[in-house]
Amino acid sequence: MTSVGQVGLGYWGKNLVRNFDELGVLTWLCDQDEGLRTQFASRHPHARVTGDFDDLLKDGELDAVVIATPVPTHYPLAKRALEAGKHVFVEKPPAMHESEMAELVAIAEREGKVLMPGHLLLYHPGVHKLKDLVDSGELGDVLCVYGNRQNLGVIRKDENALWSLGVHDLSVILYLIGEQPSQALAKGHAFLTPGVEDVVFCYLEFPSGKIAHMHLSWLDPHKMRKLTVVGRDKMAVFDDMELERKVTVYDKAPEEPVGTYGEWRTRTGDIFSPKISNDEPLKLECRHFLSLVADGWDGREMRDGLEVVRALEMLTESLRA
Ligand SMILES: NC(=O)c1ccc[n+]([C@@H]2O[C@H](COP(=O)([O-])OP(=O)(O)OC[C@H]3O[C@@H](n4cnc5c(N)ncnc54)[C@H](O)[C@@H]3O)[C@@H](O)[C@H]2O)c1
């Protein structure tokens, strides 16, 4: 059985702890915060608890490390873990520069270890349904994909809305479109913490002519977790705020009646919601990591992670310009 140690027991880390604990693999817990260590030690008496990440790396019995610390710490911690011979599950994004992510990928390849970025939405059954709709051709040619990820909070100070929120939508947009953007533009503003943009608007163009857009904000009255795919024949929406109708397919499209060249009309047909399984995406993601460690892998997840970091860096250059 794979043994897993986790560093970072904060807001998100506790969800990973719960899942890896339920999967019966958790042997180490690590956080710099003494209060959190005390709290988690009483809840997980079978796991060893420490404030020093090196304790995990020195344990020859420990197979894998889960990193759920703030984004700027991901690259140095993941690098040390891989170099210590551990498999790594690291929260998104694993690095803040393409060069750093490429280095992590190279170390993982050299060491023969798994490096899996925590792109949670790629394990969401609703996103898999969107992908099926795109790949089966049911929507027709995809023209445009756009994401809305807005809420009031969580207000972050270490990473801006692009790196904190955009990474989710970007991972799905690249997964659905299957191309790297040829152009990436971003505009945003830091209203609260200097240098940390709270609101970011992004525009992406792909070599095939498809386009994408993302509205990312933690200063917004609406809690939105939505992705819309506009196809030539149908349109589909994944709305993670919906309890039951996570995916809705709209049989709506523009049409050009025969003999009326250039005279576009619109067509509206049925609207339906396919069944989506209720499996918790985070549980599926944790299980997937353990299966990669146990069964071996071809590195797809870390190469996809590299593409996401590359696109994030293109958007960041535009934002800074
Ligand atoms: N997948 C998702 O949907 C999702 C959602 C929220 C956050 N996240 C990601 O999870 C990560 C953590 O976010 P959070 O909101 O839990 O942050 P947080 O600040 O609440 O928790 C981070 C914890 O890491 C600890 N820490 C930092 N550096 C450390 C070190 N070197 N050694 C030991 N402990 C250390 C801190 O003490 C803190 O308790 C981020 O990368 C974030 O992007 C993912």
Side-chain angles (χ1 to χ4, degrees):
M1 167 91 69
T2 302
S3 65
V4 170
Q6 182 171 321
V7 57
L9 309 174
Y11 165 79
W12 187 247
K14 66 177 182 310
N15 298 318
L16 285 159
V17 168
R18 170 174 54 78
N19 275 286
F20 282 112
D21 193 39
E22 283 169 15
L23 292 166
V25 294
L26 203 59
T27 56
W28 275 102
L29 291 168
C30 172
D31 201 290
Q32 284 169 344
D33 183 311
E34 198 184 339
L36 283 174
R37 290 204 298 275
T38 312
Q39 231 181 71
F40 277 79
S42 59
R43 272 191 240 150
H44 303 277
H46 52 280
R48 281 177 278 179
V49 180
T50 179
D52 185 355
F53 187 53
D54 276 330
D55 287 340
L56 277 64
L57 305 188
K58 281 187 278 184
D59 179 357
E61 303 288 303
L62 183 69
D63 302 304
V65 167
V66 173
I67 300 172
T69 51
V71 174
T73 65
H74 291 173
Y75 160 73
L77 294 179
K79 184 175 173 188
R80 283 170 60 202
L82 287 169
E83 285 175 341
K86 310 297 181 198
H87 300 284
V88 172
F89 173 121
V90 52
E91 259 314 319
K92 47 76 191 169
M96 296 191 71
H97 298 287
E98 184 188 346
S99 57
E100 291 176 347
M101 183 63 193
E103 190 187 344
L104 292 180
V105 169
I107 300 171
E109 273 168 355
R110 188 186 72 214
E111 300 291 326
K113 296 294 164 193
V114 171
L115 168 66
M116 188 177 120
H119 292 309
L120 179 65
L121 283 180
L122 298 184
Y123 302 89
H124 198 304
V127 171
H128 291 171
K129 174 51 78 177
L130 272 191
K131 180 73 172 160
D132 288 347
L133 289 165
V134 168
D135 287 357
S136 67
E138 185 163 347
L139 304 182
D141 281 345
V142 171
L143 307 178
C144 159
V145 181
Y146 65 91
N148 296 90
R149 195 160 292 271
Q150 295 132 247
N151 195 9
L152 187 58
V154 175
I155 297 164
R156 296 191 177 269
K157 287 195 242 162
D158 297 313
E159 63 212 54
N160 65 12
L162 173 61
W163 285 81
S164 179
L165 305 174
V167 62
H168 287 297
D169 298 294
L170 199 51
S171 67
V172 179
I173 288 169
L174 299 187
Y175 172 62
L176 293 178
I177 292 184
E179 296 172 39
Q180 265 298 110
S182 43
Q183 197 186 4
L185 303 174
K187 279 274 182 198
H189 201 81
F191 293 101
L192 305 180
T193 307
V196 180
E197 287 82 359
D198 315 280
V199 183
V200 181
F201 299 93
C202 306
Y203 172 79
L204 300 155
E205 265 182 29
F206 294 85
S208 61
K210 295 174 177 50
I211 60 171
H213 172 258
M214 300 189 287
H215 177 186
L216 311 162
S217 173
W218 53 62
L219 292 184
D220 204 280
H222 311 284
K223 179 159 185 179
M224 290 177 84
R225 299 283 181 262
K226 205 186 265 198
L227 268 149
T228 303
V229 183
V230 177
R232 179 68 78 177
D233 299 333
K234 289 184 187 171
M235 304 179 187
V237 177
F238 164 64
D239 188 345
D240 212 5
M241 297 305 296
E242 289 280 349
L243 281 179
E244 286 191 319
R245 295 156 53 104
K246 293 263 176 206
V247 173
T248 307
V249 182
Y250 297 81
D251 185 11
K252 291 182 174 194
E255 62 179 12
E256 196 180 18
V258 182
T260 59
Y261 182 75
E263 293 292 320
W264 287 98
R265 290 206 301 232
T266 54
R267 173 184 63 72
T268 303
D270 292 340
I271 299 171
F272 78 98
S273 291
K275 180 174 163 44
I276 305 293
S277 113
N278 274 334
D279 292 335
E280 185 191 0
L282 187 57
K283 170 84 44 163
L284 297 173
E285 185 182 34
C286 295
R287 278 210 191 110
H288 186 71
F289 175 62
L290 295 180
S291 76
L292 294 181
V293 171
D295 306 335
W297 74 321
D298 61 5
R300 180 180 54 80
E301 291 77 1
M302 67 179 175
R303 285 193 300 277
D304 289 348
L306 177 59
E307 309 260 283
V308 172
V309 173
R310 186 176 294 147
L312 279 171
E313 200 164 30
M314 286 169 78
L315 287 164
T316 302
E317 275 168 25
S318 167
L319 191 62
R320 295 284 168 258

